[in-house]
Amino acid sequence: MEKDKRKIVRTTAWSPGCGSHGGCGFKLEIENGKLVKVEGDECHPWNQGRVCAKGLALTQYVHHPDRVRHPLKRVGARGENKWQQITWEEAFDICEKKLKEIREKYGAESVIFAQGTGRDIGGPITYLCYAYGSPNWVQIGLAGHSCYTPRQGAMFVTNGNYTMADCSQFLEKRYEDPQWVRPNVIINWAQNPINGCFDGFYGHWIVDCMKRGSKLIVIDPRVTWLASRAEIHLQNRPGTDGAIALGMLHVIINEGLYDKEFVDKWCNGFDKLKERVQQYPPEKMAAIAWIKTEDLIRAARLYAQSKPSAIHWGVPIDGNPQGTVVAQAIAHLWSITGNIDIPGGNVIAKAAFGVTTYPFTSQEMADLYGEEMVKKLNELRIGCDRYPMIKGFRGWVQPDVLLEQLETGKPYKVHGAWIQTSNPIGGQAADPKRHLAALQDLDFIVVVDTFHNPTSVALADIFLPAAALSEKESFRNWWWPLTNMVKAVDSGDTKSDWEINLEMANRLTTGPIRFKTVKDLIDDRLKPAGITYDELAKRGSWYAPKDGSSVPYYRYETGMLRRDGKPGFDTPSGKVELYATRYEEWGLDPLPYFVEASESPVSTPELWAKYPLIFASGRRVPVFFHAEHRMIPWLREIVPDPVIEINPQTAKDLGIEDGEWVLAENNHGSAKFKALLTPTAHPKIVSVGHGWWIPEAKPETPGLFDNWEHNCNQLVPMGTQSKSGFGGGAYKTSLCRVVKIGAKDSK
Amino acid sequence: MPRKALMIDYEYCTGCHACEVACKQEHDYPVGKGGIHMNEIMTTLPNGRLRIDYIPFPTAYCDLCAVRTKKKGETTACAKHCQAQVISYDTVAELAKIMENKAHAVMFTPK
C-alpha cells in the first residue's frame, strides 16, 4: 500500500474493531500508512455522521500492543500459553493436513465451525464449513441458540419475512423522505438499544424517532433511560415477556382494537388465536409478570390505538422459555393491528438488491450452495434428528445437543473445531467449565481472532491473527443499504476472515475452485446489485436501491414478497399465519402459549427460597461488545469493573455497600462482581454484565485471565432449550443469592 | 468575537459516552484526563417514577476543540459524534434562542 502522507478513506464498519453488529459509515484518517483518527461519515444514511464510543476508540484497538500479529503454533500443553511464531504458509499447511486427516478418518461432520455474534463472519465461516463438507456451523455454548434466530424463526413462520421497527432505515433520505411516517408509539421490548447497534439496528434511531414525536412503551426489568422517558414502563420479571404479549393480545382482540380489514384479508387462523388467548386474561398475565393489570391494559390499548405503531425488541425475548413461541406472540401484535410493512410500523426487512453476505434463511443458503448440498448437510447436522425446526430453518447446530455430543460421542464423535471471532469460554457459552472440559478432548482446534482470550489460551493448537475492519476488504448487507469495508491500511502479517477462509476453502474443497481472490468472490456475490467491490468503494462504501423488493412499503399488495410474484406473504398459505402451519409441520403448537422457566419463583419455589433473587445476565454497556474491548484504555476507563446492579433496599437487607465486591452464587456456580446500588434495579432482580475476563490478569490456566472469577455464565445452565430447539437459554432467568466477600475496593 | 458555548438538550441525552471518547480522540487525552465528563442524575418524581438525566459537563480540559472549530470551521468533536445529537456548539446568543423551545437544556461556557 502506498504511503500517502495523509488521506481519508470512507468505509462501512463491521468488526473487528468497533466489534458490534455494524453498519456505520466511517471516515478513516490515514497518515503515513497508519490509522490516526475515526470520524463519522455525514453522507452515510446509517449513522449520519455519528460514531459510538467503541468506534471512536478504533485507533486504540487497531494499534493495541497486545494484538496478535503473526500466526502462532502452540508449543506447550493447552492452557500453558506457550507459542511459537510461524509463517502463514506453515499455518495453512498444518491446518490443511490435520483437517484432511480428520475428514478421511471420521468424516467432515466431525469438525465444527464456530462463530460468535452476528458480525463479518457468517459469510466466511459458512463458506469454509461447506467447502470442507461439514454441516456443523455453530455458536458454541449459546444455550438454546438464544440470539436472534428464535425471533427470526417466529417471524419466518408468521410473516414469511423478518420485520423491524420502521425508523426510515430502508429509505436513502431517511427522516426527510416524505414516504416515511414516524411511529406514533414504539414498544421498546427487552432491550436497551442506546447501548449499541444490535441485530442490524442502530440503537439511537429510537431516539431520533422520539425527538420527532414517537411515544414509548418500554418493557424491561430495569429502569433504563428509555424506561424513564416512556409513557408506560412495564418493569417485568425476566422470562415473562410471553405472558405480557398474550395478555395484550387478549385485550386487543376482546376489545376489538385490531385491524379487522387487514385480518380478514391478509391473516389466517384469527378465530383459533382468539380462542387460544381467552386462556390468558390480563389480570392473570400481569400477576405472572409482576406488573399492574391496568398498566398492561393501557399498554395494549395505546399500542393498538396509535397506528402506526412499531415494536423494537431484543435478545432477552429469545431467552424466554419457549423463545420461538414468545416471539410468535409478539409478531401477532404487529400482525393483527395491521402494523406490518406500513410506514412507521414494523417494516419488512429484505437485503438490498437481494445480495447475501451472511445467510439469514434456508433459502439464502440454498441459493448460495445449492438445494442438494443444503439438504444433504441437513441430515447430519447436530440436533437435526431431535428438532425438525433446527433441520428446517437456517442451518445452525443446536448448541445444547452439541455439548451432549461432545461429552458422549453419540451419535458421532466430534474431533476438531475451527473457532473464529468467538470466545465461548470467556463469552457466550453457558456453563463454561463444562464446555472447557468437553472441548479439551478434541484432536485439533484452530482459533482465529485479534487478541488472545480465555478460549484461545485454553484450547488453540493454532492461532491465526485476524485483520481489523480498517485492514480488510469485505462487504455487508444487513439489511440496507449495500455496503463494503475498504482496506485503508496495510494489514501487516494478519489476514481478513475472508482471506483466511477462502485460502483454506480452496485447499480443502472437494469441488471446483471458484474464486482465487476475495475480491473475485465479493464481486460474484455483488452481481445482483450490478456493481463491483471497487465501484462500491468509490461510491463511499454504500449503495441504496431505488426500487425492487427491498424497498418499502405495502409489498404484500404488490407481489414483492413472494418468489412467485403473487400478492401476499411468503408463507405456505400466502397469508400472515396467526396459526403457524410451519410450526405444525415441525411438530410444534401452531398457536402461542405461556410456560414458566424451568427454574423460577413459580416453578421451583424451594430453589427460590434458597436463591431469592433473579440473576439477569447480559446487561449491556455502551463501551464494550460482548467479551471484547476490556483492553481498550479509553473504554475500560469508563467501565473498569464487572458490576452487579442491586436495588439499594435489597443491598441494605443483605448488609452490602456500594462498591463492595460480592459473590453471586446459585445451584450452577458463582462469580464475583462489584456491587452497584441503584434504584434502577428491581428489588428482586440483580443484573450483571457478561463477557468479563481481565486482559491484564494471568493468561495461563487455571486462571485464564481471571475468567473463573468473573464469568457470569457459570450461573447459567445448558439444557434449557425450547421445544423447537431455538430459544430458552436461561441467561436472564437463573436464580441466585448475593453474599459479601470483602472490604470495599479489595478483591 | 462573540462568546461560544455548548448547549446540552438533556431531555434526550442517553448517557452513551460517545462525547467523552470523541473528545479524547480529538485531543489524544490519556486515561484520567478528558475535556467532557458525563454525569448521571436520578430523581424520584412526585408520581413515584424514576427520572434519569444524563448531563455531559465540559471540564477544565475543554478548549471547545480550538483546532477543529477555528482552523477547520467544524463543530466540536463531542457535538459531531453525539449519538442523540443533543450537543450544540454556537454563540451564547444563538444557543439561548434555541433553549427557549427546549423542554430541558443547559448551556456551558468553558474557557
Side-chain angles (χ1 to χ4, degrees):
Chain A
M1 187 147 295
E2 84 281 14
K3 302 229 163 175
D4 287 0
K5 199 162 181 307
R6 193 174 180 91
K7 65 174 180 179
I8 289 175
V9 178
R10 293 169 74 197
T11 191
T12 297
W14 199 20
S15 70
C18 57
S20 322
H21 287 173
C24 288
F26 284 1
K27 290 192 296 190
L28 303 175
E29 297 191 17
I30 311 299
E31 206 170 275
N32 298 320
K34 197 178 165 194
L35 174 71
V36 294
K37 197 176 183 189
V38 174
E39 286 276 335
D41 185 350
E42 309 78 10
C43 303
H44 201 294
W46 183 277
N47 53 315
Q48 299 181 305
R50 308 165 268 187
V51 176
C52 76
K54 298 184 288 287
L56 291 164
L58 185 68
T59 52
Q60 291 197 332
Y61 186 102
V62 169
H63 303 303
H64 199 287
D66 294 348
R67 254 188 86 186
V68 181
R69 294 179 193 280
H70 305 282
L72 301 174
K73 180 182 161 185
R74 177 174 61 77
V75 287
R78 279 185 185 157
E80 279 189 348
N81 197 35
K82 291 182 181 160
W83 309 91
Q84 179 195 334
Q85 185 180 322
I86 56 175
T87 66
W88 277 98
E89 202 53 32
E90 286 172 283
F92 284 139
D93 286 348
I94 293 168
C95 293
E96 180 184 351
K97 183 168 169 274
K98 289 279 186 187
L99 291 170
K100 279 183 172 168
E101 271 173 22
I102 293 174
R103 183 167 63 187
E104 272 157 34
K105 275 195 205 163
Y106 312 109
E109 66 275 15
S110 68
V111 177
I112 56 173
F113 290 81
Q115 69 165 81
T117 186
R119 306 184 286 190
D120 186 19
I121 182 59
I125 203 159
T126 46
Y127 191 80
L128 175 58
C129 182
Y130 298 153
Y132 182 69
S134 172
N136 291 321
W137 174 36
V138 64
Q139 296 199 32
I140 296 173
L142 180 59
H145 200 103
S146 300
C147 182
Y148 200 37
T149 304
R151 278 173 286 156
Q152 289 181 307
M155 291 188 280
F156 171 71
V157 303
T158 308
N159 299 135
N161 274 291
Y162 309 144
T163 84
M164 303 172 90
D166 182 16
C167 302
S168 76
Q169 63 269 47
F170 294 92
L171 301 166
E172 189 176 329
K173 290 186 184 140
R174 297 296 312 262
Y175 306 107
E176 306 308 314
D177 191 307
Q179 288 181 85
W180 184 69
V181 179
R182 63 130 168 78
N184 285 318
V185 165
I186 300 174
I187 301 186
N188 184 81
W189 202 319
Q191 193 186 74
N192 192 7
I194 59 127
N195 281 340
C197 51
F198 315 109
D199 311 333
F201 186 97
Y202 182 83
H204 278 75
W205 291 342
I206 298 272
V207 183
D208 296 344
C209 289
M210 288 165 69
K211 291 166 94 176
R212 287 164 175 81
S214 297
K215 303 244 179 295
L216 292 184
I217 297 169
V218 170
I219 304 173
D220 197 313
R222 297 165 63 226
V223 188
T224 59
W225 175 82
L226 280 179
S228 90
R229 291 290 185 277
E231 297 295 302
I232 302 169
H233 174 208
L234 305 180
Q235 193 174 9
N236 66 314
R237 173 164 68 95
T240 63
D241 302 284
I244 294 172
L246 287 159
M248 288 175 71
L249 286 168
H250 186 285
V251 173
I252 292 167
I253 291 174
N254 287 2
E255 293 188 5
L257 307 179
Y258 58 96
D259 182 334
K260 293 180 189 68
E261 199 186 322
F262 181 84
V263 167
D264 286 348
K265 196 167 175 192
W266 297 108
C267 299
N268 83 352
F270 179 75
D271 292 338
K272 286 176 183 155
L273 177 66
K274 183 175 181 176
E275 191 188 330
R276 172 63 62 89
V277 301
Q278 299 314 311
Q279 298 173 35
Y280 303 104
E283 301 75 19
K284 198 170 145 191
M285 297 302 99
I288 286 171
W290 292 355
I291 59 174
K292 287 183 190 159
T293 305
E294 64 193 74
D295 288 345
L296 191 155
I297 293 172
R298 273 172 60 221
R301 289 177 183 159
L302 184 61
Y303 171 71
Q305 294 179 319
S306 303
K307 202 169 176 178
S309 311
I311 299 178
H312 175 70
W313 56 1
V315 72
I317 301 298
D318 304 312
N320 270 275
Q322 309 306 330
T324 43
V325 176
V326 175
Q328 178 194 23
I330 295 172
H332 286 168
L333 284 169
W334 66 63
S335 298
I336 65 166
T337 54
N339 273 306
I340 184 165
D341 215 29
I342 64 167
N346 273 66
V347 63
I348 284 176
K350 287 174 81 76
F353 306 103
V355 168
T356 296
T357 37
Y358 184 152
F360 278 149
T361 62
S362 306
Q363 188 60 53
E364 280 178 286
M365 298 288 243
D367 291 347
L368 286 178
Y369 300 106
E371 293 274 1
E372 274 311 299
M373 165 92 162
V374 169
K375 215 170 141 189
K376 195 180 120 203
L377 294 176
N378 279 349
E379 298 304 315
L380 276 171
R381 182 169 305 117
I382 294 167
C384 275
D385 51 340
R386 271 194 247 173
Y387 296 105
M389 187 168 176
I390 295 286
K391 190 169 179 171
F393 182 67
R394 270 198 89 180
W396 289 106
V397 160
Q398 207 296 326
D400 303 84
V401 180
L402 169 66
L403 181 58
E404 283 178 37
Q405 189 158 335
L406 286 168
E407 291 172 336
T408 62
K410 287 175 182 152
Y412 57 83
K413 194 164 161 46
V414 177
H415 289 272
W418 181 282
I419 301 172
Q420 191 164 13
T421 71
S422 181
N423 167 18
I425 302 304
Q428 70 186 177
D431 206 342
K433 279 187 177 150
R434 202 175 144 199
H435 276 96
L436 180 59
L439 289 162
Q440 285 290 8
D441 272 352
L442 268 52
D443 307 340
F444 184 59
I445 300 175
V446 181
V447 169
V448 188
D449 219 310
T450 45
F451 291 87
H452 270 305
N453 59 54
T455 302
S456 68
V457 170
L459 292 167
D461 299 317
I462 296 289
F463 186 109
L464 303 178
L469 71 88
S470 51
E471 301 161 339
K472 68 174 178 178
E473 288 166 346
S474 190
F475 68 123
R476 180 184 191 277
N477 206 24
W478 186 8
W479 307 91
W480 216 89
L482 177 63
T483 57
N484 66 351
M485 275 138 277
V486 181
K487 188 167 179 165
V489 291
D490 192 86
S491 58
D493 200 24
T494 68
K495 288 183 190 292
S496 76
D497 295 296
W498 267 120
E499 280 179 292
I500 295 167
N501 290 21
L502 182 64
E503 170 70 24
M504 283 308 301
N506 286 349
R507 284 168 178 250
L508 293 167
T509 185
T510 50
I513 289 175
R514 292 187 61 206
F515 309 109
K516 287 212 173 115
T517 68
V518 170
K519 225 183 239 183
D520 292 344
L521 182 147
I522 296 174
D523 283 345
D524 185 70
R525 293 227 178 152
L526 293 180
K527 273 181 187 162
I531 196 168
T532 65
Y533 174 88
D534 288 333
E535 287 163 357
L536 189 51
K538 270 189 205 135
R539 293 183 73 102
S541 89
W542 64 274
Y543 182 34
K546 304 273 180 243
D547 48 32
S549 69
S550 74
V551 178
Y553 296 95
Y554 301 103
R555 281 161 286 181
Y556 52 91
E557 288 177 349
T558 57
M560 294 294 236
L561 299 178
R562 294 177 60 85
R563 289 211 161 203
D564 59 16
K566 288 182 184 162
F569 292 86
D570 195 11
T571 58
S573 62
K575 296 200 167 181
V576 169
E577 296 210 345
L578 302 176
Y579 182 94
T581 56
R582 279 181 170 131
Y583 275 176
E584 195 168 41
E585 187 189 311
W586 295 331
L588 303 167
D589 192 330
L591 292 165
Y593 56 94
F594 176 73
V595 284
E596 274 288 335
S598 55
E599 291 175 359
S600 87
V602 178
S603 54
T604 54
E606 67 297 338
L607 210 57
W608 180 239
K610 200 171 169 193
Y611 302 112
L613 295 167
I614 293 175
F615 184 76
S617 70
R619 164 188 169 272
R620 304 301 200 264
V621 290
V623 294
F624 305 136
F625 197 59
H626 292 310
E628 282 205 286
H629 298 119
R630 270 70 171 186
M631 72 291 280
I632 308 300
W634 286 338
L635 302 178
R636 182 73 178 280
E637 180 185 16
I638 293 168
V639 182
D641 299 304
V643 301
I644 184 164
E645 289 185 348
I646 312 176
N647 181 279
Q649 186 58 49
T650 306
K652 197 178 170 196
D653 295 345
L654 294 167
I656 289 167
E657 287 180 46
D658 193 45
E660 180 178 4
W661 285 94
V662 296
L663 190 71
E665 59 181 5
N666 69 7
N667 44 325
H668 306 291
S670 64
K672 281 181 200 167
F673 304 95
K674 204 171 196 178
L676 173 67
L677 274 49
T678 170
T680 61
H682 187 285
K684 292 283 180 190
I685 304 165
V686 291
S687 300
V688 302
H690 64 299
W692 268 100
W693 52 282
I694 310 297
E696 66 273 21
K698 274 188 186 169
E700 62 271 19
T701 47
L704 296 175
F705 301 101
D706 281 354
N707 188 48
W708 310 118
E709 293 275 301
H710 302 302
N711 186 330
C712 64
N713 284 346
Q714 295 174 98
L715 285 88
V716 181
M718 291 292 286
T720 59
Q721 66 269 32
S722 305
K723 280 181 190 162
S724 64
F726 286 124
Y731 293 101
K732 307 279 179 193
T733 55
S734 289
L735 307 179
C736 81
R737 68 180 166 214
V738 178
V739 295
K740 288 167 78 77
I741 44 170
K744 206 165 184 172
D745 283 313
S746 71
K747 263 194 198 179
Chain B
M1 280 284 280
R3 180 136 192 209
K4 293 288 182 76
L6 291 175
M7 185 197 74
I8 318 289
D9 175 358
Y10 65 89
E11 180 64 15
Y12 293 109
C13 174
T14 63
C16 76
H17 298 278
C19 56
E20 294 176 335
V21 183
C23 176
K24 278 177 174 284
Q25 181 186 232
E26 186 67 28
H27 299 87
D28 199 19
Y29 284 144
V31 167
K33 186 174 170 183
I36 194 158
H37 179 77
M38 205 268 295
N39 297 277
E40 183 180 68
I41 294 114
M42 294 202 194
T43 316
T44 303
L45 300 174
N47 66 7
R49 291 217 19 213
L50 197 61
R51 182 180 166 96
I52 303 171
D53 287 303
Y54 292 109
I55 301 183
F57 170 76
T59 73
Y61 294 105
C62 172
D63 64 351
L64 288 169
C65 287
V67 176
R68 266 181 100 99
T69 53
K70 289 182 186 156
K71 283 197 187 155
K72 299 186 195 166
E74 292 174 7
T75 190
T76 60
C78 59
K80 163 84 191 285
H81 290 115
C82 173
Q83 293 193 93
Q85 297 179 306
V86 298
I87 305 180
S88 306
Y89 166 76
D90 211 325
T91 60
V92 169
E94 277 306 309
L95 293 175
K97 271 189 237 166
I98 302 168
M99 282 176 81
E100 289 278 348
N101 299 315
K102 293 285 178 191
H104 297 95
V106 60
M107 197 191 314
F108 291 111
T109 51
K111 212 160 197 174

